[in-house]
Amino acid sequence: MRLTFMLALSICLSLVAVPSLAQPEWEITVTNLTKGQTFTPIMAASHDGGIKLFKLGKPASPELVSLAEEGNTAPRTHHHRAARL
């Protein structure tokens, strides 16, 4: 279970490209090699150092809890997009 969470978290941290005219475009391909195990919907993000997914020693944000426990990427995606405005 922890391995699955860490894999999902790694994918989330390394992936949601929000298109912009001033930034390069990225094409990301994710291949499920787990023989039928389903993934949380893929969320890929690019960001600068101002966006933090979590703070060491602090409770997880509601968005991160939703992602980790329910596989719900919507709150985290919304939070990420709002931070870019």
Side-chain angles (χ1 to χ4, degrees):
M1 179 70 167
R2 183 172 169 87
L3 178 60
T4 303
F5 171 72
M6 294 307 293
L7 177 60
L9 183 58
S10 295
I11 291 170
C12 291
L13 290 174
S14 62
L15 299 173
V16 157
V18 179
S20 171
L21 295 176
Q23 297 179 357
E25 287 188 28
W26 299 88
E27 182 175 322
I28 300 165
T29 302
V30 177
T31 304
N32 184 351
L33 302 175
T34 61
K35 298 191 187 233
Q37 234 179 358
T38 58
F39 278 154
T40 295
I42 301 300
M43 177 187 136
S46 63
H47 58 84
D48 61 22
I51 297 198
K52 305 291 183 200
L53 186 59
F54 61 91
K55 292 182 183 175
L56 288 176
K58 301 292 182 184
S61 67
E63 299 88 2
L64 186 56
V65 169
S66 180
L67 176 63
E69 295 183 1
E70 303 165 12
N72 183 3
T73 60
R76 186 69 233 165
T77 301
H78 175 71
H79 185 264
H80 180 77
R81 287 184 177 154
R84 293 181 62 91
L85 299 177

